[in-house]
Amino acid sequence: MLCACSGEQHKFEEAPQSPESLATRDFSASGLSSRNGDWESKLDEAQVEEAESTLKEALSLNYEEARALLGRLEYQQGNFEAALQVFQGIDIKGLIPKMIRAISERTKQNKPRSKEDIVVIPNVMSLHSVSLLLEAVLLKAKSLEGLGRYTESANECRIILDIVGSAFPYGMAEGFSEDCKLQEMFHSALELLPNLWIKAGSLDEAVTAYRRALVKPWNLEQPRLAALQKDLATTLLYGGVEVGPPSPLQVSGPSTLKSNVEESILLLLILMSKMLIQEIDWDAEVMDHLTFALSITGMFETLADCVEQILPGIFDRAERWYFLALCYSAAGHNETALNLLRKACGSSEGARRPHFPSFLFGAKLCSQHHSYAHEGIKFSREVIDLAKNQNDHFLGEGHKFLGILYGAAARLSALDSERSIFQRESLDFLNRAAVNGNGDPEVIFSLGLENAIQRNLDAAYDNIMIYSDATIGSSPRGWQLLALIVSAQQRFQDAETVVDFALDEAGRMDQLELLRLKAVLQISQQQPKRAIETYRILLALIQAKRELWLHDKNVDQAKEFKHEVLTETKLEMEAWQDLATIYRDIGSLPDAKACVNKAQSIEFVSPRSWHITGMLFETQSLYKEALVSFSVSLSIEPDYIPSIISTAELLLKLGMQSLPIARSFLMNALRLEPTNHDAWFNLGLISKREGSLQQAADFFQAAYELKLSAPVQKFE
């Protein structure tokens, strides 16, 4: 056995019979004197007392070592109960101060010294002895773990960290002996402790243990350090327990970690940087966790930056472009996303297998942004070709997107013949999607919307009722479209009732939009006072939410819900514009002007605000000023139909010489919106003035029929 003081091996006269006999056997006096040699005679009384003290401690430590060795044998044989009984006989608490001193004193001598410089410190354990005892504590913890006593196991494991942590208050020195078993015992305890707390169900303790392992340098190898960082990140991300940052991380300034998710993201970004410089091997799970963490916090551009930095060969080119497209689309950069999808689906990838997700996502993006309708049709047809005879679900998705995109292309078309073809194709493919989609509510909704836009109101009503049944009436947009369809049937009171039902089930943002729709319906019923009161409620709700944010100074929340903030601002501006129109209609021009000013203070370059300003000038017979306001509106948005029609109406008042120009404006309005009854009515007035009475009658008839099927707001 190795002596606790010198680390040398002693020979005993009798073979050990038990742990007790091992621990209590006597040293041979002759052996001791032979080892001491000539210097024995030189010992004075004080040295003798010191030697006796050292010998007693050596004998005591041998007893602890013997139990440690025997416990190790029992543990290796899987006898956890027996091992635990042996380990419990070791008085670790009484030895903790000596172990801390031994580590501190021995590690001070790590630097190479000459033989003359080596100083033997009396009454100090050897690092070998300390390692053996720490191993005993570690094996005791593992025995308790094997017996399912996780909390006791964690408390034992923590003793190792306390001992070494007290000896190294600033972390483990870099020059610490690598061949010393002590360091390995400590590293094993660092890794084991958080897992024990997790098994015990104490996630907050587990997080604290992980942080303790990472907050100081402990000479961990990079793979082991990375594993701990990853485990802490996933525990913080998915654990469901909010644990405040430890004191070393509670720094002031913008770098303060405000939540577990932020700390998790920081750890995952550190791991990503290590993988990028190839300090550790690539781990796909780290990227998966980082994707989830950045997605739930809305940091999609940061995620895109991480994907762009990944070394070539990790992802296939098309897969990388697709991933980046998802990131930029989620961040609101749809043009960038489409450019990436064009690369993934382009001719440069022709020799490779077509990347089906890119075609599908391209079709979806284009279906949401109708200016890309024709390009989206190409994406959708490719989806159908790839899914044909292979996957009915994706075939139905291709038909759905193709139907939506043909409808969008019809609204972009300048030719009546082409528009008619596109509208027919739209309904055809949406009906196919409804058959292949096994009653997919989204397909039914799209079919109902397209029927409504084409003024097939009965079919649209049936579609939306089916959609409402499929979604159990829980979709606010379904209620909203149903209300618009009912309003197009001139059943305004029923439409308002539908909105009231929707308000009871809608979320906050949907409630605001539904309140505006309710006010518009009240205007259509010639109830301006009720409409003004509804707008007052709408504006009060928006103002209350804004004051709450300002009171809490929750700028981060405002950034996180940027889309919600923009939507509320737009709704507020539209409410003031609607109020201005109401006050103009009832003859209260000062109130109307005040409302317009409010709307312009929110967004000065709104075409509708300038249009309403022109209407106010026209009410006061200030035609030149009105024409200037309409021109400003059209300079902001050349295709703003109300200003186009109002300009034509104003030109009609100026006499016969302006009729051709007015007709040109109205034809342009009908090119943009063929179902606009105001444009058809004014064309009838022009034809009547020109003497084309039959043509005027046809135009008036078209205006009358379209007005009877016009919703109070646009269907989309």
Side-chain angles (χ1 to χ4, degrees), residues 590-601:
D591 290 334
K593 182 61 177 174
C595 292
V596 170
N597 291 337
K598 275 286 204 179
Q600 288 184 322
S601 68

Side-chain angles (χ1 to χ4, degrees), residues 561-604:
F561 297 102
K562 182 179 178 181
H563 175 72
E564 183 176 331
V565 173
L566 292 174
T567 302
E568 287 186 358
T569 303
K570 182 174 180 290
L571 273 171
E572 182 182 10
M573 180 184 68
E574 290 173 342
W576 287 115
Q577 291 168 342
D578 291 347
L579 282 169
T581 303
I582 293 174
Y583 284 122
R584 169 186 170 273
D585 291 341
I586 63 178
S588 181
L589 296 184
D591 290 334
K593 182 61 177 174
C595 292
V596 170
N597 291 337
K598 275 286 204 179
Q600 288 184 322
S601 68
I602 297 172
E603 185 180 345
F604 186 73

Side-chain angles (χ1 to χ4, degrees), residues 258 262 545-562 565:
K258 296 183 177 65
E262 288 188 15
K545 182 62 177 291
R546 182 177 292 116
E547 289 177 356
L548 181 62
W549 275 345
L550 292 175
H551 176 72
D552 295 340
K553 295 182 179 179
N554 199 342
V555 180
D556 292 335
Q557 186 179 4
K559 290 180 180 178
E560 183 178 351
F561 297 102
K562 182 179 178 181
V565 173

Side-chain angles (χ1 to χ4, degrees), residues 387-409:
K388 195 174 294 183
N389 301 323
Q390 295 183 19
N391 191 304
D392 290 340
H393 169 72
F394 289 123
L395 184 63
E397 289 293 294
H399 286 144
K400 178 181 73 173
F401 292 137
L402 194 56
I404 294 171
L405 289 161
Y406 266 124

